[in-house]
């Protein structure tokens, strides 16, 4: 499976809001929103881009960490049950402890990820459970002083700090023309403008690098999604987890407004082929009336075939 | 993005919330050597030092490392993480040093500190031209606190300026301050460039006006010039003009410059009027402020940031003090309460902080 990896080498820390442990991965709806906003800033007509996305001519994944040459992928949810069965056959304490560590591990390198999606079990002894993903989350204290009494309000914001040769990458699959005409220029602009919150402080700036990558996959009717998704048909879900999405809508020209809370299916979930959908927030309220333009949320899936034998 | 230069005239300290204790450094009469404790412990272990004894010295001595290093004949310079020149005298028995905010080991000035000071100055300029705003704010606050007990007041005291802030900078339909409707979101000030840690010094800061105090020690910067990036997003201001529902509708650099000048000129005047509160440093501080006044006449833009800048520089104090009802409000809020005697002082603000014989945090901005 041929894809493009867009590596983001961060020059400044990244702020994504949300809870401390839940900042990475940066979800596909955020990336899509940032790309659309960058295209509008570049005065590009986005209708063909959105049209192509709706027609499934391309897809965008969430952004996962990389360190050096190593790309990390999320754990497909079917693999825990695989391992459970293996341990059941040969129950011993050592195996059990390894399983616990395996279950807690958030990301796997490409080699192990390929094993998992092709129905093989990675060697539990060879996995580096202490592996670092090239980033650290730190709470930065900030203070506001009351302008009558000078009493202080202390608050913290969580920022992600990356190692020099590490960062985040996301995958693009599909039409080369779209990649060349829309994704590349948008990402280059975002590199200077920053991605995520507190861009006015200078956070989230990066240098992009575009690479081709190939994933070894086999034919299957089951898939793992590497993006957030809302499937059109709920019966396609096999193993899944939910995530609440919300917060503010970024708009350059319109009135700021909060997003409605939307439940999405998380990266790593296993489902049948379902492209997901683009959500028009007008279905949730009079958003275009209040903000001044339409707001679309990306809930399209990024599917990788996965072999899962019982 | 345009460049902004900040010149620090007097010791400036912006805290990271961390403190260095004598267990982290060796203090000489003129210098503090912050130790790389990992390296030092590794060395002590490798030479077979008695760890129990070291632990005991660490627990009992006021400056433990000096004794330990002497005992094992080790040179402190070999374990130096960085060293700081000491301005003032070393603490007799012990000293804690408040650390300067750093990123990756390098001190920097947060953009939010500069923006916060600009925000106060703008607030001052607007309230000065709308005395009714101040009247309403004081009246509203007084009505709010007059029947409250001390716990209730404790809550109000942290949010006393909320009503005023919402009126000036923008509010939502419920009347609360709303950052999305704030005109100042068009003013973007980035964190400063990294500053060499070698420029940091340790200052003994005296609180004048308190009886029998000992100095507090802080890592500070003085006589350093650094660059900032700043921008006023004209496009954002234009597009969101209809959204801004506070008194402040538009900003430009000239307006900010005037606000800073007007505000700090007034602060300096008040400080000079109360110069007797600087006690034994009165003459030096008087000279410092007179010198500043002269420089202001030649067109410099003043700004005061960081810890210890005082009530007048961080609040609308210069206006509030002139309000007839403020004294009642202040007593109700407990501003100026002596932490020991619990009595409220008559002449508020009573104390002043001084380091290197200068008031803290004064800088000039250059565009």
């Amino acid at each position: 499976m041929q894809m493009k990896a867009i590596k983001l080498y961060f020059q400044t820390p990244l702020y994504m809001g949300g809870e401390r442990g839940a900042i990475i991965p940066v979800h596909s709806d955020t990336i899509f929103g940032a790309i659309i906003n960058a295209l509008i800033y570049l005065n590009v007509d986005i209708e063909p881009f959105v049209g192509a996305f709706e027609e499934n001519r391309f897809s965008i994944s969430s952004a996962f960490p990389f360190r050096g040459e190593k790309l990390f992928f999320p754990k497909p949810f079917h693999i825990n049950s695989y391992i459970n069965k293996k341990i059941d056959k040969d129950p011993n304490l050592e195996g059990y402890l390894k399983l616990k560590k395996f279950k807690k591990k958030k990301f796997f390198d490409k080699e192990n990820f390929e094993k998992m999606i092709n129905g093989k079990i990675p060697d539990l002894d060879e996995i580096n459970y202490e592996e670092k993903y090239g980033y650290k989350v730190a709470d930065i204290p900030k203070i506001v002083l009351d302008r009558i009494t000078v009493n202080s309000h202390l608050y913290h914001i969580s920022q992600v700090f990356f190692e020099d040769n590490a960062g985040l990458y996301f995958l693009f699959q599909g039409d080369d023309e779209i990649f060349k005409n829309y994704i590349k220029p948008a990402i280059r602009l975002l590199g200077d403008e920053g991605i995520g919150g507190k861009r006015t402080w200078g956070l989230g700036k990066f240098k992009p690098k575009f690479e081709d990558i190939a994933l070894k996959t086999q034919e299957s009717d089951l898939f793992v999604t590497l993006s957030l998704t809302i499937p059109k048909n709920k019966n396609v879900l096999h193993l899944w987890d939910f995530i609440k999405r919300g917060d503010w809508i970024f708009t350059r020209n319109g009135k700021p407004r909060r997003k409605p809370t939307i439940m999405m299916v998380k990266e790593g979930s296993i489902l049948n082929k379902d492209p997901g959908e683009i959500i028009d927030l007008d279905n949730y309220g009079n958003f275009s009336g209040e903000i001044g333009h339409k707001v679309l949320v990306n809930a399209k899936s990024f599917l990788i075939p996965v072999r899962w034998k019982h | 993005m345009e460049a902004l230069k900040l010149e620090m005239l007097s010791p400036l300290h912006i805290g990271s919330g961390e403190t260095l204790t004598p267990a982290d450094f060796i203090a000489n009469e003129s210098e503090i050597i912050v130790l790389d404790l990992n390296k030092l412990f590794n060395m002590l272990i490798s030479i077979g030092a008695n760890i129990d004894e070291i632990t005991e010295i660490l627990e009992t001595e006021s400056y433990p490392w000096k004794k330990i290093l002497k005992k094992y004949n080790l040179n402190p310079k070999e374990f130096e993480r960085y060293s700081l020149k000491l301005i003032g005298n070393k603490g007799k028995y012990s000293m804690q040093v408040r650390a300067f905010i750093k990123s990756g080991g390098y001190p920097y000035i947060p953009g939010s500190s500069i923006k916060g000071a600009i925000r106060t100055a703008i607030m001052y300029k607007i309230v000065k031209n709308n005395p009714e705003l101040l009247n309403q704010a004081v009246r509203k606050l007084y009505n709010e606190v007059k029947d409250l007990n001390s716990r209730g007041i404790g809550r109000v005291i942290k949010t006393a300026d909320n009503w005023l802030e919402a009126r000036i900078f923008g509010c939502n339909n419920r009347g609360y301050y709303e950052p999305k409707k704030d005109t100042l979101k068009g003013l973007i000030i980035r964190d400063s460039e990294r500053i060499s840690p070698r420029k940091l010094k340790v200052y003994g800061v005296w609180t004048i006006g308190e009886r029998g105090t000992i100095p507090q020690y802080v890592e500070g910067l003085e006589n350093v010039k650094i660059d900032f990036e700043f921008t006023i997003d004209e496009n954002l201001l234009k597009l969101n003009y209809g959204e801004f529902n506070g008194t402040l509708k538009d900003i430009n650099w000239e307006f900010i410059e005037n606000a800073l000048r007007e505000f700090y000129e007034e602060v300096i005047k008040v400080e000079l009027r109360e110069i007797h509160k600087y006690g034994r440093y009165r003459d030096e501080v008087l000279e410092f402020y007179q010198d500043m006044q002269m420089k202001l006449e030649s067109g410099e833009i003043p700004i005061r940031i960081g810890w210890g800048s005082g009530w007048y520089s961080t609040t609308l104090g210069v206006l509030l003090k002139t309000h007839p009802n403020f004294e009642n409000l202040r007593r109700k809020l407990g501003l100026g309460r002596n932490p020991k005697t619990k009595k409220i002082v008559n002449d508020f603000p009573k104390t002043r902080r001084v380091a290197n014989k200068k008031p803290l945090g004064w800088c000039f901005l250059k565009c």
Side-chain angles (χ1 to χ4, degrees):
Chain A
M1 213 173 167
Q2 287 295 331
M3 283 174 279
K4 295 207 185 307
I6 297 99
K7 284 179 159 179
L8 318 177
Y9 290 84
F10 283 91
Q11 314 286 302
T12 52
L14 173 70
Y15 173 72
M16 271 292 161
E19 286 165 32
R20 215 184 125 88
I23 300 176
I24 307 261
V26 172
H27 300 293
S28 48
D29 54 344
T30 306
I31 295 173
F32 180 76
I35 291 174
I36 291 276
N37 271 304
L39 290 173
I40 293 170
Y41 199 30
L42 288 168
N43 273 331
V44 175
D45 178 14
I46 56 163
E47 290 294 326
F49 178 74
V50 175
F53 199 47
E54 270 172 345
E55 288 162 18
N56 304 319
R57 279 168 52 202
F58 71 94
S59 45
I60 291 169
S61 78
S62 297
F64 306 103
F66 72 86
R67 191 174 185 227
E69 290 304 305
K70 230 180 209 182
L71 303 181
F72 293 102
F73 291 79
K75 180 166 58 181
F77 290 165
H78 71 290
I79 201 71
N80 283 345
S81 66
Y82 245 147
I83 306 268
N84 272 339
K85 274 181 199 151
K86 189 179 156 71
I87 298 290
D88 282 346
K89 277 182 204 162
D90 178 23
N92 63 54
L93 182 65
E94 203 190 332
Y96 175 75
L97 290 177
K98 266 183 216 153
L99 171 72
K100 294 298 278 184
K101 280 186 187 165
F102 183 86
K103 277 191 164 175
K104 276 185 190 162
K105 197 165 159 65
K106 214 170 159 187
F107 300 111
F108 289 88
D109 60 22
K110 185 165 166 269
E111 196 186 324
N112 281 317
F113 181 73
E114 279 175 340
K115 275 186 192 164
M116 289 185 230
I117 58 173
N118 289 319
K120 288 176 203 142
I121 301 164
D123 188 340
L124 292 191
D125 294 322
E126 282 183 8
I127 291 176
N128 179 3
Y129 296 103
E130 310 299 327
E131 187 163 41
K132 292 197 172 95
Y133 303 125
Y135 69 85
K136 261 189 184 163
V137 182
D139 289 339
I140 309 294
K142 293 272 164 189
I143 269 189
V144 185
L145 293 179
D146 184 89
R147 283 181 176 80
I148 290 177
T149 63
V150 215
N151 255 266
S152 56
H153 255 315
L154 176 71
Y155 67 100
H156 289 85
I157 67 164
S158 295
Q159 295 180 10
V160 189
F161 292 81
F162 292 92
E163 285 175 13
D164 277 350
N165 199 21
L168 296 177
Y169 78 95
F170 68 92
L171 298 168
F172 171 91
Q173 195 184 19
D175 200 324
D176 277 349
E177 286 296 304
I178 297 278
F179 186 73
K180 202 176 90 190
N181 296 335
Y182 294 97
I183 304 285
K184 265 191 169 177
I187 292 296
R188 288 215 171 96
L189 174 66
L190 282 175
D192 294 333
E193 277 261 298
I195 193 166
K198 303 290 176 206
R199 293 186 299 276
T200 56
W201 296 4
L203 300 191
K205 288 187 192 177
F206 60 83
K207 288 225 167 359
K209 204 172 161 190
F210 306 97
E211 285 176 8
D212 289 317
I213 70 156
L215 264 185
K216 285 181 209 146
T217 53
Q218 293 176 20
E219 286 282 305
S220 173
D221 55 351
L222 280 176
F223 297 85
V224 56
T225 177
L226 295 189
S227 67
L228 296 184
T229 179
I230 298 181
K232 284 185 173 160
N233 174 4
K234 65 177 182 210
N235 297 325
V236 298
L237 290 171
H238 285 263
L239 284 170
W240 68 94
D241 194 0
F242 288 127
I243 185 167
K244 262 190 201 170
R245 301 294 289 155
D247 235 321
W248 287 87
I249 293 163
F250 171 65
T251 163
R252 252 177 235 281
N253 309 339
K255 282 187 188 176
R257 197 189 186 293
R258 250 186 196 286
K259 249 187 235 172
T261 303
I262 304 173
M263 294 291 261
M264 292 203 196
V265 173
K266 242 183 176 177
E267 301 90 351
S269 301
I270 308 287
L271 64 164
N272 287 122
K273 192 161 193 166
D274 188 304
E277 54 185 326
I278 294 183
I279 298 165
D280 185 343
L281 286 191
D282 280 343
N283 300 337
Y284 289 78
N286 180 21
F287 276 77
S288 41
E290 284 178 36
I291 295 177
H293 57 75
K294 252 188 184 316
V295 182
L296 302 174
V297 175
N298 168 22
K300 286 261 187 192
S301 39
F302 188 100
L303 299 175
I304 307 276
V306 63
R307 299 277 285 205
W308 178 16
K309 288 179 224 152
H310 286 279
Chain B
M1 279 283 154
E2 286 174 62
L4 204 60
K5 224 177 215 8
L6 186 84
E7 186 186 344
M8 299 162 204
L9 304 173
S10 64
L12 165 65
H13 168 73
I14 297 172
S16 67
E18 288 162 11
T19 29
L20 301 170
T21 66
D24 298 304
F25 56 75
I26 284 191
N28 299 325
E29 287 313 314
S30 62
E31 188 187 39
I32 280 175
I33 302 168
V34 182
L35 299 165
D36 184 342
L37 293 180
N38 272 343
K39 197 174 167 187
L40 180 53
F41 267 111
N42 284 341
M43 173 59 96
L44 286 169
I45 291 165
S46 70
I47 58 173
N50 182 348
I51 298 296
D52 288 340
E53 191 190 4
I54 290 174
T55 321
E56 204 189 316
I57 297 176
L58 278 170
E59 279 169 3
T60 50
E61 294 283 323
S62 48
Y63 290 105
W65 286 116
K66 199 163 196 172
K67 192 169 177 183
I68 296 168
L69 291 177
K70 200 174 171 191
K71 187 176 162 71
Y72 292 100
N73 220 353
L74 295 171
N75 180 3
K77 284 280 170 194
E78 280 175 31
F79 306 96
E80 172 185 317
R81 194 142 66 94
Y82 59 94
S83 64
L84 302 160
K85 208 174 154 208
L86 177 62
I87 309 288
N89 296 328
K90 175 184 150 188
K92 204 169 177 186
Y93 302 108
S94 177
M95 61 196 280
Q96 293 202 335
V97 182
R98 292 165 186 242
F100 202 97
I101 190 161
K102 297 185 189 82
S103 169
Y106 289 87
Y108 70 98
I109 312 288
S112 55
S113 286
I114 305 272
K115 190 168 170 177
I118 291 178
R119 204 173 159 86
T120 313
I122 289 178
M123 217 168 172
Y124 165 82
K125 190 173 162 70
I126 288 173
V127 173
K128 195 182 144 204
N129 296 330
N130 291 282
E132 192 43 37
L133 262 179
L134 189 72
N135 264 336
Q136 280 186 40
V138 173
R139 207 181 310 134
K140 214 173 149 10
L141 202 55
Y142 187 73
N143 287 337
E144 205 177 323
V145 296
K146 69 177 179 199
D147 300 323
L148 287 180
N149 58 13
S150 60
R151 185 185 284 182
I153 288 174
R155 234 173 282 140
V156 172
I157 209 164
K158 281 182 186 279
T159 53
D161 69 350
N162 279 14
W163 182 85
L164 203 54
E165 193 178 25
R167 295 288 89 65
I168 293 172
F169 296 113
C171 57
N172 59 19
N173 4 349
R174 286 181 297 156
Y176 292 117
Y177 168 68
E178 172 61 68
K180 303 267 165 190
K181 295 189 183 263
D182 189 339
T183 320
L184 279 190
K185 77 177 186 176
L187 171 68
I188 295 161
I189 300 181
R190 301 251 154 105
D191 289 350
S192 78
E193 55 179 359
R194 308 195 302 180
I195 306 165
S196 162
R198 261 178 264 144
K199 292 187 177 161
L200 278 179
K201 288 174 190 158
V202 170
Y203 291 87
V205 181
W206 290 94
T207 308
I208 313 292
E210 260 176 36
R211 211 178 292 162
T213 49
I214 46 170
Q216 287 167 289
Y217 293 92
V218 298
E219 283 185 350
L221 293 168
E222 195 181 357
N223 297 326
V224 179
K225 284 183 191 170
I226 45 151
D227 286 327
F228 275 92
E229 277 186 353
F230 97 101
T231 188
I232 294 173
D233 193 335
E234 308 271 346
N235 206 21
L236 181 146
L237 290 175
K238 211 164 40 186
L239 289 167
N240 285 282
Y241 187 78
E243 279 299 296
F244 301 142
N245 55 10
T247 322
L248 181 71
K249 294 276 183 215
D250 197 10
I251 43 163
N252 53 50
W253 181 246
E254 207 187 327
F255 176 78
I256 294 172
E257 226 179 89
N258 287 336
L260 285 170
R261 230 176 252 138
E262 282 175 30
F263 176 56
Y264 288 112
E265 268 175 15
E266 198 55 39
V267 171
I268 293 174
K269 266 189 213 159
V270 176
E271 292 284 8
L272 283 173
R273 215 179 296 145
E274 300 184 6
I275 198 77
H276 59 278
K277 292 185 178 174
Y278 282 95
R280 61 182 187 274
Y281 295 111
R282 187 199 142 116
D283 292 343
E284 288 92 345
V285 175
L286 179 69
E287 198 181 318
F288 177 83
Y289 276 131
Q290 280 173 344
D291 189 38
M292 264 201 93
Q293 271 184 330
M294 258 161 49
K295 283 183 183 157
L296 292 191
E297 275 168 26
S298 64
E300 299 276 8
I301 312 162
I303 191 163
R304 195 176 192 190
I305 52 175
W307 178 80
S309 25
W311 186 72
Y312 282 125
S313 303
T314 42
T315 63
L316 301 180
V318 282
L319 291 175
L320 284 165
K321 278 277 271 195
T322 60
H323 195 279
N325 280 339
F326 176 69
E327 198 51 29
N328 286 338
L329 176 66
R330 176 177 81 81
R331 286 178 183 274
K332 197 71 204 163
L333 285 171
L335 292 185
R337 188 190 299 276
N338 185 319
K340 282 176 204 150
T341 61
K342 304 288 175 208
K343 276 186 190 158
I344 291 179
V345 294
N346 289 327
D347 193 3
F348 174 80
K350 192 186 169 202
T351 58
R352 294 289 188 281
R353 287 203 170 99
V354 177
N356 201 13
K357 299 177 183 170
K358 289 173 200 164
L360 284 97
W362 282 103
C363 305
F364 281 147
L365 270 185
K366 283 189 180 114
C367 193

